[in-house]
Structures are given as C-alpha cells and as structure tokens.
Amino acid sequence: MTSPDLVPLRRALISVSDKTGLIELGQALAARGVHILSTGGSAQRLAEAGVPVTEVGDHTGFPEMMDGRVKTLHPRIHGGILARRDDEGHVAAMNAHDIPGIDLVVVNLYPFEATVAKGADFETCIENIDIGGPSLIRGAAKNHDFVAVVTDPSDYAPLLAELAAHDGQTTLDLRRRLAAKAYARTGAYDAAIGAWFANRLGQTWPESVTVSGTLRQTLRYGENPHQTAAFYVTGERRPGIATATQLQGKELSYNNLNDTDAAFELVAEFERPAIAIIKHANPCGVAEGDDLPGAYARALACDPVSAFGGIIAANRTLDAVTAEAISRLFAEVVIAPDADEAARAVLASKKNLRVLLTGDLPNPAQAGTLIKTVAGGFLAQSRDDGRVLPTDLKVVTKRGPTPKELADLLFAFRVGKHVKSNAIVYAKDLATVGIGAGQMSRVDSSRIAAIKSREAAQAAGLSEPGTKGSVVASDAFFPFADGLIAAAEAGVTAVIQPGGSMRDQEVIDAADERGLAMVFTGMRHFRH
C-alpha cells in the first residue's frame, strides 16, 4: 500500500509531563478546529486557558484509575492511533466499535531521569516510570503513515508551521522524522531505566546495556576533514564540556572537544590553583601555584613550543592577569569554572579564542564509565578514579624521599595519570619540566622528556634543564633499568612508579647506585 503524503489533522491526543508550550500549542490546534483529547494535568491546564478539550476518560467511558497508572491503555485510544486508514478491515473495525481516528499524539514522558538525578527513593523512581506514554509514542510512530507523534516541545513550532503551510495537513516527511525521534526517545528512556535498575541491584556489568545520548552539536568534521562527527550528551551530571557555556570564539571542533575534555579532567586533579596546557590530548605543561598567574607561567615554561595552538585549562576563576598572559599565546580553547568580568573583557579581544565556563570542576574520585568502540562492539570500563596518597607509598630504596621530593612525586604521578602511555613525567616545584608521552618503549619516553626539557631551557636562556634536581613519575613499572637510568642521567633525584615488574630489584639497585629515592604506588595509570 502506498502511504499518503498529506494527512489532515482532525483529532489530537495531548498528554505531557513537561507543560512547556502546551497552552500555545493547544490554542493553535483549537484555532484550526482540531478536536483535542487530553489527560489529567494537561487537560486541566488547557481547560483553564479556555482551550476546548475532551478528557480521555470521557472519550473512553472509563475514568483514570489506579493513581493514574491506567488512563490511556484502552482500545478506543490505541485503536484510533494504530488503525490504517487505507485498510478496509481496520476502517470496518473502527466503525463497528466507534473508534475515531487520532491523527496527532503529543506526549512527553514522566521525568524518570530527572527523578533519579535528584536522588529520589526507590518507590518514587518506580512511580516515575511511564507506561502509557511509551505505548502511545510507539504506537503513533509505528503508524506514522497516518499519525504524527511529537515528544519534544521544541517540535511544536515546526509542526504548527507545517500545518500552516499545508492547510492543516502533515507531510509524510515530517511524520517520519518525528517517528524516528520518538523511537530514539523511548529507547533512551528504557536505557535509563535499565541502567538505574542494574545499579540498584549492584550489577556493575549487566547482561545487556544500551548507550544513549542527545545530539548537542553536529560538527564540521571529525579528526580529519573526510570524517563526519557529532557531539552527543548523555545527561551525566559531570562538570566539563557537556555543561559548559561558550562565551565566545569559533565553533568547537571534534579535536577541540576531545582535547578540552582531557585538559579539564587533568586540571581538576589539584586542590591548589593549577593550569594544564594540552596538545593532542596530552599535557605539554602543568603546574600548581599560589595563584593562577604563577601556575600559568610555570606550566607554559615546560614546553612553550608545543603549547602553541593548545588548550588551556584552569581550576579557578580566571582573573585579568592570567587572561592577559593567555592572550599573548595563540590558543584554541580556554576552559575554567568561571572568569571575572575583567578577564572576560581581556579574552574578548581574541575573537577566535573559544572560552568555555563550566560552573564547577569534575570530581576526580567520582565513579563513572568510559566507553571505546571496537569492531563489532565496544569496551566499557570504570573511570580511572584512583588517587595515590602519601600513606599508599612504599619506599623501596635505601634513601626515602624528602618532603619536597614527596610533594613533587605525588604531583608528577597525578599528571602521569593523564598522559598517554608509555608516560614519563619530570616535575620540580609542583610544575612539569619534561613530559614523554605515547612511546612504544618507556626508555624512549624518558629520553624524549629529557630532550624537551633541554630544548625549553635553551630557548629560555637557562644554564641547565629543568630536569636537574627534578623527580620523575612513570605511569607503569620500569620493565628494565634503562628508563630509570635515562631519567637519572637527566638529573632526577627521586622516582615514583607502580612497581610489580619481574625486574623490580634490578631497577631498585640502579636507583640505589645513583643515590635516588624511589617509591612504589601499587597502582598503575595506563592511558591508551
């Protein structure tokens, strides 16, 4: 059977939890002579606004019952939605049982996700699982040849515009687009319920899992111009790029979003004022300080060449002095919890600089799930929320670290958690002075980080590289002593690493021979 293009809208069913735009929609439909059926609070709102409306209970001959659990689950409702108007048998059944056709279903669901996010108790969450709403939506979407379904108040205006353009009729194209959106909504809704149930049952990895998101932005392209891309948000309440307000600058790209997320997650690791500068998802400079201007200067000094065109993240409200310093560097994005008025004015002079304000910092110790796609499926793991404290450390060398070395070691290890493996981080005075990232061998990371430090020192006119008198962190154990030896040759005095290699004693002996202090954390921070 051929689907009709234009379908007249004569009768609508409206049952919404979110009343945004409800009155305006009802008035516009009523002005077109559309007969409106409605339930509970929606019907009351419409009636109070003077919109002619028929209660669903009056339409079906059955009152709402069981605290509203049963109101639209009735043949006179679902028959009117599901009946094909071009099927003689369907039409005969409608006539025999006095079932009028319903041409538009406007439903948004009980706010289950919002209820869970508020920390409601089990029974309250259960009562906010919508039953009739998804049934109405799915039925209307299935019969989109004849029925339009609207699940989002943002679609009221396009619907009304279509009716105006086609003399009170909807097009097949619109009905199909609305049906696709409707199924996506019910799928996301069920996914949220399933995830909540699994969590309540203590199922870390349930037998089946669905990942859902809402389109935030269609991106110009992906990592490369020949790739398409989009940014979806999941509703997770974690401060960052999904919660940020963009004050200014060009549209964010795929790579911008990825790198900015990495930068902000890193800078949130620190309690004191801190700056992280990221390039290609790896830090090229990180520092803590008494204030942001000092932290920024020392973060930039680690690798000013790589910082060009990078992402700058702060864990405090941006001030004018820091903004002035940032404005002297070509950067793609600046992200911070906030910025004072003076800082905003300074950054506004850099019109192409993207400035994001998040309102808060993500909690590094907060649990969460990370997902990576692979051929035919995806890998899921818990967020790396591990944090090493001084009490977790085991001194394995003859000499233990000094208090200053210990502070630098913990700082370097936190940074190393956010560096692509194999990761080596040299640090001194709570600032990185050399970073080696993503190498196939750990010794190469040690050497590259030392080379970068020497180059930065030469460019700054310093007599020796920052690695002299620094400490070094390794994200995983040294499989051989060569990586540690390379770090010792660069001038480190102390080492932090997870330990656990078959050659740990060989590495410990090499540290002792050179008078280094070394501590084991017992925790690895691979980042692939």
Side-chain angles (χ1 to χ4, degrees), residues 2 6 65 143 176 178 191 201 271 317 325-326 441 444 453:
T2 302
L6 295 173
M65 62 183 70
N143 202 28
R176 283 182 173 169
L178 290 173
L201 294 172
E271 289 75 31
T317 297
I326 289 172
S441 67
D444 285 342
S453 183

Side-chain angles (χ1 to χ4, degrees), residues 16 50 190:
V16 293
D190 286 342

Side-chain angles (χ1 to χ4, degrees), residues 142-153:
K142 176 174 181 174
N143 202 28
H144 64 266
D145 279 352
F146 304 95
V147 182
V149 56
V150 177
T151 58
D152 185 343

Side-chain angles (χ1 to χ4, degrees), residues 211 223 369-381 420 528:
V211 179
E223 285 183 291
T369 302
L370 304 180
I371 292 173
K372 177 182 176 63
T373 61
V374 295
F378 59 85
L379 304 174
Q381 65 171 339
K420 295 297 179 69
H528 287 292

Side-chain angles (χ1 to χ4, degrees), residues 140-227:
K142 176 174 181 174
N143 202 28
H144 64 266
D145 279 352
F146 304 95
V147 182
V149 56
V150 177
T151 58
D152 185 343
S154 68
D155 288 319
Y156 294 171
L159 170 69
L160 295 176
E162 174 119 329
L163 294 176
H166 298 286
D167 193 25
Q169 302 176 98
T170 60
T171 64
L172 181 60
D173 177 68
L174 177 69
R175 296 194 301 275
R176 283 182 173 169
R177 285 189 283 112
L178 290 173
K181 187 170 182 176
Y183 281 125
R185 175 65 188 118
T186 57
Y189 195 73
D190 286 342
I193 296 168
W196 173 77
F197 253 117
N199 178 265
R200 292 301 297 257
L201 294 172
Q203 297 175 339
T204 303
W205 304 117
E207 183 176 342
S208 179
V209 64
T210 302
V211 179
S212 67
T214 301
L215 180 66
R216 167 67 61 83
Q217 180 184 358
T218 300
L219 305 173
R220 289 175 58 202
Y221 51 79
E223 285 183 291
N224 300 289
H226 63 276
Q227 295 173 266

